[in-house]
């Protein structure tokens, strides 16, 4: 039953995705297919896959127990907090906090989780900001340091 629920939800999301793709206005300098092509193809492919899932579900799902549901809710809240804290704290601090939370949820040791999180945050900041030249927020606390 959960396969069919997911398929129905994704069909609705895909239809909205395709509708938004049709609203994209091409610029003067665009490729022959235009910017609408890829989102529409992805949406159509997803709708086709979901229709196949509606017709013939793949498995009988087992719902998680209460502990797993609690972890899922904490993960969801962690992602929301990560998005909300990105600008005030900056990429490095918010990524470190989020990575640490997720590592602890998967039974990581606290000290190793924090060290791995900090290393990952700094390394990914250097890759995206310095090597690729993309903007990542530094946060109000660290403004002017990076």
């Amino acid at each position: 039953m959960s396969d069919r629920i997911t398929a129905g939800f994704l069909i609705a999301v895909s239809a909205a995705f395709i509708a938004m793709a049709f609203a994209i206005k091409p610029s003067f300098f665009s490729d022959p297919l235009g910017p609408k092509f890829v989102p529409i193809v992805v949406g159509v492919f997803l709708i086709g896959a979901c229709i196949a899932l509606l017709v013939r579900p793949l498995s009988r799902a087992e719902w998680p127990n209460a502990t797993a549901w609690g972890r899922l809710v904490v993960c969801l809240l962690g992602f929301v907090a990560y998005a909300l804290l990105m600008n005030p704290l900056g990429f490095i601090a918010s990524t470190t906090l989020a990575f640490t939370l997720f590592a602890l949820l998967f039974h990581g040791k606290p000290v190793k989780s924090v060290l791995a999180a900090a290393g990952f945050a700094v390394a990914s900041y250097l890759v995206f900001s310095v090597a690729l030249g993309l903007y990542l927020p530094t946060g109000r606390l660290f403004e002017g340091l990076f």
Side-chain angles (χ1 to χ4, degrees):
M1 184 66 179
S2 65
D3 286 349
R4 290 189 172 132
I5 293 170
T6 303
F9 175 74
L10 287 176
I11 286 173
V13 169
S14 299
F17 190 67
I18 291 171
M20 286 189 285
F22 275 112
I24 296 173
K25 304 285 185 213
S27 67
F28 181 71
F29 298 106
S30 66
D31 58 53
L33 295 175
K36 299 176 186 181
F37 178 73
V38 172
I40 291 171
V41 168
V42 169
V44 168
F45 176 76
L46 187 57
I47 287 175
C50 289
I51 289 172
L53 195 57
L54 277 172
V55 172
R56 185 168 178 220
L58 296 176
S59 64
R60 186 163 177 88
E62 292 182 26
W63 292 93
N65 60 20
T67 305
W69 276 110
R71 283 192 184 148
L72 289 171
V73 168
V74 172
C75 275
L76 178 63
L77 293 175
F79 279 120
V80 170
Y82 179 62
L84 293 174
L85 292 174
M86 183 68 73
N87 282 329
L89 294 182
F91 179 82
I92 294 175
S94 60
T95 302
T96 301
L97 289 173
F99 189 108
T100 302
L101 171 70
F102 299 137
L104 292 174
L105 282 174
F106 286 100
H107 306 293
K109 295 180 181 173
V111 174
K112 288 183 179 181
S113 297
V114 172
L115 292 175
F120 174 78
V122 170
S124 58
Y125 182 84
L126 291 174
V127 167
F128 287 113
S129 184
V130 177
L132 297 175
L134 299 173
Y135 169 76
L136 291 174
T138 55
R140 292 185 204 116
L141 295 174
F142 305 106
E143 203 167 339
L145 295 177
F146 300 104

